[in-house]
Amino acid sequence: MNFHHISVMPQETVSGLVTNRDGIYVDCTLGGAGHSHLIADMLSEKGRLIGIDQDESAIAAATERLQDCHCQVSIVQNNFRNLEQVLQEQSAQQVDGVLFDLGVSSHQLDTAERGFSYMQDAPLDMRMDQQARLSAYDVVNSYDEAELNRIFKEYGEERWSKRIAQFIVEARKNAPVETTGELVDIIKKAVPAAVRNAKGGHPAKRIFQAIRIEVNDELGILENAFRTAVAHLKPGGRIAIITFHSLEDRIAKNVLREMAKGCICPPELPICTCGHKPEIKLLVKGTTASKEELEHNSRSKSAKLRIAEKL
Ligand SMILES: C[S@@+](CC[C@H](N)C(=O)[O-])C[C@H]1O[C@@H](n2cnc3c(N)ncnc32)[C@H](O)[C@@H]1O
């Protein structure tokens, strides 16, 4: 199977994550198994890799890629929002490491018919889980103007959110917006030409990001998933998170920081009354890809890696 995806910060991630050759490691975003294959290479025959992805084509590609590994491998098609349940079903209550390499894979972006890309014309879809109920078509054609404006502003940080929402609602009065190409045309009409032609990337980039986040509930599930992962780490176990935009990175940074904090009493209190203890120690606080990596993998441009250790 041809599954194209270059893993981001592969060595930094895997060498920071794996500390026990006989341990259990969970990759919550298996994709093409790029990181997972490197993790598996570091494990002994006693070691175990559990790979999770919600996308059936990622599951198929990863199954093939991991078939020659000498450690134990379990592959699970699920959403990492269900991490607690997956670990229970896999009888893996205490693990040595958990990886989240967030967002979409290049394979998902490059497969035109998945509807993730504003560069290729295809039906509006953007579901990472092909069985999910909500698609980009539903968001674009059924959300009211205020809801569209909100997601474009919150998830796309788009300054023309209101106008783009108005133009979409106007356009769909005639007929539903069926394709990514039609949506791009509407966005181009809504964003003034002078702004469109200025530097700052494709005018549809932020809107597509916003719709994708909404369709897959990409932000809403993160905090709980990170906390679940840390709760299931053995002392000395590690969590690694790779983020690709400021919205998901803010969540990762804040949740890890909070778990790394001791006392959370208001600063005016003379003595600690909360008894709050840090659960983790921050090891890598948002490192970025090297110059060499940026040269051969443009996806790594916005990536940030965070690693923390369970106390
Ligand atoms: C950036 S890719 C991972 C690439 C992988 N680390 C590699 O090196 O090949 C992200 C993958 O995570 C999956 N994914 C994203 N959010 C998910 C979620 N909430 N639950 C399960 N899988 C998810 C996507 O379907 C995609 O295959």
Side-chain angles (χ1 to χ4, degrees):
M1 173 189 243
N2 188 11
F3 190 104
H4 175 69
H5 180 87
I6 307 175
S7 304
V8 166
M9 290 185 262
Q11 293 308 334
E12 298 90 322
T13 304
V14 172
S15 59
L17 182 71
V18 179
T19 54
N20 176 8
R21 277 171 44 75
D22 301 335
I24 305 177
Y25 288 86
V26 184
D27 183 349
C28 288
T29 49
L30 191 54
H35 287 107
S36 265
H37 202 276
L38 293 173
I39 294 171
D41 281 347
M42 293 177 74
L43 300 183
S44 72
E45 282 173 15
K46 282 197 220 144
R48 182 171 180 207
L49 171 74
I50 301 172
I52 304 170
D53 205 294
Q54 58 179 328
D55 183 326
E56 66 196 35
S57 57
I59 292 290
T63 305
E64 198 177 314
R65 181 115 193 252
L66 295 171
Q67 66 190 357
D68 60 350
C69 294
H70 55 263
C71 67
Q72 303 165 53
V73 177
S74 313
I75 295 178
V76 182
Q77 186 176 354
N78 208 325
N79 190 309
F80 64 65
R81 65 158 33 112
N82 303 317
L83 183 60
E84 181 81 52
Q85 177 205 327
V86 172
L87 293 179
Q88 195 169 6
E89 284 168 3
Q90 294 295 321
S91 306
Q93 289 300 322
Q94 291 278 285
V95 303
D96 296 81
V98 183
L99 168 64
F100 295 88
D101 174 20
L102 299 174
V104 277
S105 65
S106 302
H107 179 77
Q108 287 165 326
L109 277 176
D110 297 344
T111 309
E113 63 270 23
R114 302 290 299 268
F116 283 107
S117 170
Y118 47 81
M119 308 290 278
Q120 312 186 67
D121 194 20
L124 279 170
D125 189 333
M126 301 196 203
R127 289 169 302 164
M128 290 193 210
D129 169 1
Q130 293 95 327
Q131 306 306 320
R133 275 191 17 245
L134 186 72
S135 73
Y137 179 94
D138 304 316
V139 172
V140 171
N141 289 292
S142 70
Y143 279 29
D144 68 24
E145 196 177 309
E147 283 176 302
L148 288 173
N149 179 22
R150 179 188 65 78
I151 65 165
F152 296 162
K153 213 187 309 177
E154 274 180 30
Y155 302 157
E157 300 182 292
E158 170 58 61
R159 109 175 225 244
W160 298 94
S161 58
K162 195 162 190 290
R163 210 171 131 85
I164 296 169
Q166 275 167 357
F167 273 60
I168 290 173
V169 170
E170 194 52 41
R172 71 190 195 200
K173 280 183 188 159
N174 303 323
V177 185
E178 302 270 358
T179 66
T180 51
E182 289 171 34
L183 181 60
V184 169
D185 287 342
I186 296 168
I187 296 167
K188 283 185 176 164
K189 281 187 197 135
V191 179
V195 177
R196 240 190 299 136
N197 296 334
K199 269 196 181 162
H202 195 284
K205 187 175 169 190
R206 286 186 292 272
I207 296 300
F208 272 60
Q209 172 182 302
I211 297 173
R212 201 196 84 199
I213 290 174
E214 175 69 12
V215 167
N216 298 289
D217 191 13
E218 287 180 45
L219 298 179
I221 62 174
L222 291 184
E223 174 167 353
N224 199 26
F226 298 156
R227 288 188 189 279
T228 303
V230 168
H232 286 273
L233 286 177
K234 293 177 191 161
R238 293 183 177 184
I239 178 171
I241 305 172
I242 306 172
T243 62
F244 289 89
H245 53 77
S246 56
L247 299 166
E248 58 193 15
D249 192 58
R250 203 173 304 148
I251 297 173
K253 185 173 72 184
N254 290 341
V255 175
L256 292 181
R257 257 197 204 155
E258 209 235 59
M259 286 191 281
K261 234 176 165 182
C263 169
I264 49 169
C265 290
E268 60 274 16
L269 279 192
I271 52 159
C272 170
T273 55
C274 71
H276 190 266
K277 295 265 180 294
E279 287 175 75
I280 54 171
K281 179 167 88 180
L282 304 179
L283 302 179
V284 176
K285 303 176 188 176
T287 196
T288 51
S290 67
K291 228 172 110 210
E292 296 76 59
E293 180 172 356
L294 291 173
E295 274 163 23
H296 76 265
N297 187 4
S298 58
R299 254 191 103 251
S300 65
K301 220 162 76 184
S302 57
K304 280 197 180 152
L305 169 66
R306 296 177 183 279
I307 301 181
E309 184 172 276
K310 179 89 173 252
L311 294 171

